[in-house]
Amino acid sequence: MLIQTLKDTIRDIPDFPKPGIIFKDITPILENNTLCGQITDEFALQLGSKSIDAIVGIESRGFLFGFLLAQKLRKPFILVRKAGKLPGETVSTEYALEYGTAKIEMHTGSIRKGWNVLIHDDLLATGGTCCAAAELVQMQGGHVAGFSFVVELDFLKGKERISKYSTYVNSLIHY
Ligand code: AMP
């Protein structure tokens, strides 16, 4: 039921941001309060009794349900942002893109040593961004407890890449 509603709500935008990419636009979900609540509840339900100390959300669409889930679980929410956006002292890591590299950052001291951290983004594609976020968690002494996504693009095999950090990967829908 939830899966079908999600599939009916997410919009495919062909050739965005460049030719050949089918962009999965989750913005119509945000216009539906009931659906947003159901998504947050489902993430929480699927975590079950898993011990989570904090949730890391990846800029920018990972902030949406990442923050709602953190509020529901009453856990700290920590931002991973593109380089140069966070005002305080940061840890950073660079990772490869199709062309060139990207750098992401997290505020130093946000994660305590030994914390079990769930990493959240709207969509798992190749997994490059999540691997970089996992590195930031580990650099701070955190343990990657798992990953959660609204959408996973199975054919890009991102799960294989991120599973070296945690085999707990919860995606609500798959394409
Ligand atoms: P990746 O590092 O390849 O797993 O890319 C993940 C990031 O890129 C996520 O933050 C997504 O929001 C975004 N992304 C990649 N591919 C798509 C797509 N087809 N539709 C929407 N967002 C995408």
Side-chain angles (χ1 to χ4, degrees), residues 81-122:
R81 297 206 65 182
K82 288 165 191 141
K85 302 276 187 181
L86 289 170
E89 191 188 313
T90 57
V91 281
S92 67
T93 186
E94 216 166 73
Y95 63 102
L97 295 175
E98 197 179 346
Y99 301 104
T101 58
K103 197 174 181 186
I104 56 170
E105 298 179 335
M106 184 189 285
H107 270 145
T108 311
S110 297
I111 291 176
R112 307 237 176 98
K113 282 195 176 37
W115 267 8
N116 291 314
V117 178
L118 181 77
I119 296 174
H120 173 81
D121 203 356
D122 68 324

Side-chain angles (χ1 to χ4, degrees), residues 21-24 58-59 61 95 121-130 153:
I21 305 280
I22 299 176
F23 191 85
K24 298 287 180 193
I58 299 178
E59 180 172 355
R61 290 179 299 275
Y95 63 102
D121 203 356
D122 68 324
L123 183 140
L124 175 64
T126 65
T129 317
C130 274
L153 302 180

Side-chain angles (χ1 to χ4, degrees), residues 2-10 29 35 39 150 172-173:
L2 174 62
I3 291 168
Q4 195 51 51
T5 310
L6 279 174
K7 288 199 161 172
D8 293 344
T9 307
I10 289 169
I29 294 176
L35 187 54
I39 290 168
V150 179
L172 298 184
I173 57 170

